[in-house]
Amino acid sequence: MPDAAFETIPAWPFAEARRVRERLLASGKKEALFETGYGPSGLPHIGTFGEVARTSWVRRAFSLLTGMPSRLIAFSDDMDGLRKVPDNVPNGDVLRQHIGKRLTEVPDPFGTHPSFGAHNNARLRAFLDAFGFEYEFASSTDYYTSGRFDAALLRMAALHEEVREVILPTLGAERRATYSPFLPIHPETRVVMQVPMEEVRADGTLVWTDDEGKRWETPVTGGHCKAQWKADWALRWYALGVDYEMSGKDLIDSVKLSSAICRVLGAEPPVTLTYEMFNDEHGQKISKSKGNGLTIEQWLDYGPPESLAQFMFPSPGSAKRLHKGVIPRAVDDWLGNAEKLRANPDDATNPAWYIHAQGAPPAPPPVSFATLLNLAGIANTDDPARLWAYLRKYYPEATPESEPLLDRLVRHACAYWRDFIAPERRFRDPTPDEVEGLRRLAALLREREVELLAMPPGPEREKALQDTVYDAGRFGPFLTKNKDGSDGVGRAWFQALYEVLLGKSEGPRFGGTVAVMGIEEAVRLVEGALARA
């Protein structure tokens, strides 16, 4: 049953769910249909993950808000014709012989499936299954050839001119003269034909002439033709009764036109959400040809899938910069939100509430991901076993077997450090003031070592070590005043620690890193920097 508490939740999935609820109340439907689309001419990517994850979050919110059943269809446009040979497939010469044919009639260049479309559909399903998404797979080819779209196609044929009138104002003069929403499949070559219709009969027969001058009569039903893109989207919404679909900012005009065509056919288009696209670290639009983005495989090398979901969750209507630098923050944001969810499992404003919809979040690891990256730098290693050796100094009972989440993070941290941090590290010598600060830090750590080690591992010791780091920097150029008038420490002190000791400009609280690496090792690190100076 619906819960009144969900009515006031401000999180965007519930805001979207309320829009879907209003649609169903107006239509009288008793079940909501959510849809995501996939073009199987390429492999699934980060955008595919984001669209299915976000739609799944709205769907869950809808179910809790209304108590009504719902379904999610992952629809593959595998009736599309092959436009070009992708760069990342083998046997490209084989594919070139089949340009223009629908993807489910193009041979699989990998040799593992009956067609290229079937291969990419299998990749999509494996991809979605790996993340545990709940969905129904739908093939455009299956829907067209089985007759599931026949009634809608016949209606579009009956309203052919009205549909054309929606599209024609958006086309150039030459294209306007030949445009039809229908693309017949050539009976002999099997190419998806983009040719003018000489006649669209009331019984759903298309009359057209091919490039050789041969005249054909093709029924719109039974998979003998498909609809052009914007008309195809509208046809699907109309035939299936889709209630919700989101799409990228680049499809805003397509949404408007498909919605208009859906209304011409006699149905109200679904509730839609436009999400912003991804940019690179310089704010430039990500392009596969430029290679200026991250693939999903790369993200999962350096961070767990939950961190990718965390990155996707906030403000889908705002542009996001997608690059290597966002991964550590996303990992620690997820870990922090998971810890909050364990304390407050009913907080539906917490992204982890959506990410862990199927169960309780894992217990948080004893150290942050940022600290693991620091330790990899201190150990100068991408070997998980060496990083574990550091961790066991502070957490002697911890093992990869007893802390599987921590072990995953250790492996991600080693890969991230190896590929992104190590090549960019630039150590510098300390200034005279920084030399004095480092000497003070080493002396204070030795002086307080017995007292610090008497504290149990955990927050108390980490705070005391952080206080020691502060105390070492409370002098000369690093000294600042807090709001209460007490002596504080400027950011320059911590920046110096990172640039001199770790070869980078920032990181997590340094006291936490010292706690895990050990006081003796920290003193050795400081003395090594002083010796270099």
Side-chain angles (χ1 to χ4, degrees), residues 374-381 386-387 390 417 521:
N374 272 359
L375 292 176
I378 291 166
N380 195 30
T381 186
R386 288 194 62 192
L387 210 52
Y390 270 85
W417 182 85
E521 186 77 15

Side-chain angles (χ1 to χ4, degrees), residues 35-52:
E35 182 183 60
T36 63
Y38 167 66
S41 57
L43 300 178
H45 50 77
I46 273 184
T48 310
F49 171 88
E51 192 164 308
V52 179

Side-chain angles (χ1 to χ4, degrees), residues 288-340:
K288 279 191 269 187
S289 60
K290 291 181 183 177
N292 62 335
L294 277 178
T295 67
I296 198 160
E297 291 81 7
Q298 288 172 321
W299 185 295
L300 297 180
D301 280 342
Y302 308 121
E306 297 90 344
S307 65
L308 178 55
Q310 170 66 48
F311 174 77
M312 289 288 177
F313 184 84
S315 305
S318 301
K320 288 180 170 57
R321 296 199 175 190
L322 177 63
H323 55 90
K324 64 181 185 292
V326 305
I327 297 177
R329 174 67 180 272
V331 175
D332 279 333
D333 282 351
W334 162 59
L335 293 173
N337 286 329
E339 186 171 7
K340 292 175 184 175

Side-chain angles (χ1 to χ4, degrees), residues 32-359:
L33 180 61
F34 294 79
E35 182 183 60
T36 63
Y38 167 66
S41 57
L43 300 178
H45 50 77
I46 273 184
T48 310
F49 171 88
E51 192 164 308
V52 179
R54 287 165 169 166
T55 304
S56 297
W57 296 331
V58 176
R59 183 185 174 205
R60 183 190 181 209
F62 172 83
S63 297
L64 292 170
L65 187 67
T66 67
M68 297 172 67
S70 65
R71 298 160 53 215
L72 169 60
I73 289 182
F75 199 95
S76 170
D77 292 310
D78 56 19
M79 273 282 280
D80 285 352
L82 178 67
R83 296 180 182 86
K84 64 178 183 177
V85 178
D87 297 330
N88 57 348
V89 299
N91 303 313
D93 290 339
V94 173
L95 289 186
R96 284 187 190 90
Q97 302 171 36
H98 299 275
I99 294 292
K101 293 182 182 179
R102 68 188 191 194
L103 292 164
T104 45
E105 291 194 86
V106 173
D108 177 18
F110 297 90
T112 58
H113 291 79
S115 69
F116 189 35
H119 176 274
N120 286 342
N121 286 342
R123 292 290 296 267
L124 171 68
R125 298 176 77 167
F127 174 88
L128 298 179
D129 292 343
F131 290 107
F133 290 122
E134 181 185 327
Y135 69 98
E136 300 171 25
F137 175 76
S139 158
S140 180
T141 298
D142 290 346
Y143 276 49
Y144 271 98
T145 58
S146 68
R148 292 192 65 173
F149 285 161
D150 279 0
L153 286 161
L154 288 169
R155 181 157 181 80
M156 186 174 284
L159 297 167
H160 184 251
E161 288 307 312
E162 289 90 336
V163 173
R164 272 172 41 88
E165 289 302 318
V166 172
I167 300 292
L168 293 184
T170 69
L171 305 176
E174 183 177 346
R175 187 78 178 95
R176 278 200 302 271
T178 62
Y179 175 81
S180 169
F182 295 111
L183 302 175
I185 311 297
H186 198 293
E188 294 177 347
T189 67
R190 307 304 298 162
V191 168
V192 180
M193 301 297 293
Q194 296 203 36
V195 291
M197 295 298 105
E198 297 170 18
E199 189 179 354
V200 178
R201 295 175 182 163
D203 65 355
T205 300
L206 307 176
V207 181
W208 54 282
T209 300
D210 66 17
D211 297 338
E212 304 298 322
K214 190 171 183 180
R215 198 164 182 262
W216 299 92
E217 294 186 4
T218 300
V220 296
T221 55
H224 296 290
C225 85
K226 74 175 298 292
Q228 298 231 31
W229 155 231
K230 298 175 184 68
D232 184 76
W233 208 5
L235 181 90
R236 188 190 315 165
W237 289 346
Y238 169 78
L240 304 181
V242 175
D243 295 299
Y244 185 86
E245 183 156 3
M246 59 177 65
S247 56
K249 184 180 178 181
D250 56 333
L251 295 180
I252 287 177
D253 290 338
S254 296
V255 170
K256 292 177 181 176
L257 291 171
S258 296
S259 296
I261 295 171
C262 190
R263 291 189 179 99
V264 167
L265 295 177
E268 187 63 22
V271 173
T272 59
L273 170 69
T274 297
Y275 56 81
E276 264 285 1
M277 310 305 288
F278 297 119
N279 298 325
D280 64 14
E281 57 194 314
H282 305 296
Q284 300 298 309
K285 183 179 177 181
I286 284 177
S287 163
K288 279 191 269 187
S289 60
K290 291 181 183 177
N292 62 335
L294 277 178
T295 67
I296 198 160
E297 291 81 7
Q298 288 172 321
W299 185 295
L300 297 180
D301 280 342
Y302 308 121
E306 297 90 344
S307 65
L308 178 55
Q310 170 66 48
F311 174 77
M312 289 288 177
F313 184 84
S315 305
S318 301
K320 288 180 170 57
R321 296 199 175 190
L322 177 63
H323 55 90
K324 64 181 185 292
V326 305
I327 297 177
R329 174 67 180 272
V331 175
D332 279 333
D333 282 351
W334 162 59
L335 293 173
N337 286 329
E339 186 171 7
K340 292 175 184 175
L341 186 64
R342 289 174 64 85
N344 186 4
D346 296 325
D347 181 10
T349 64
N350 183 342
W353 188 86
Y354 301 86
I355 295 168
H356 296 284
Q358 305 306 318

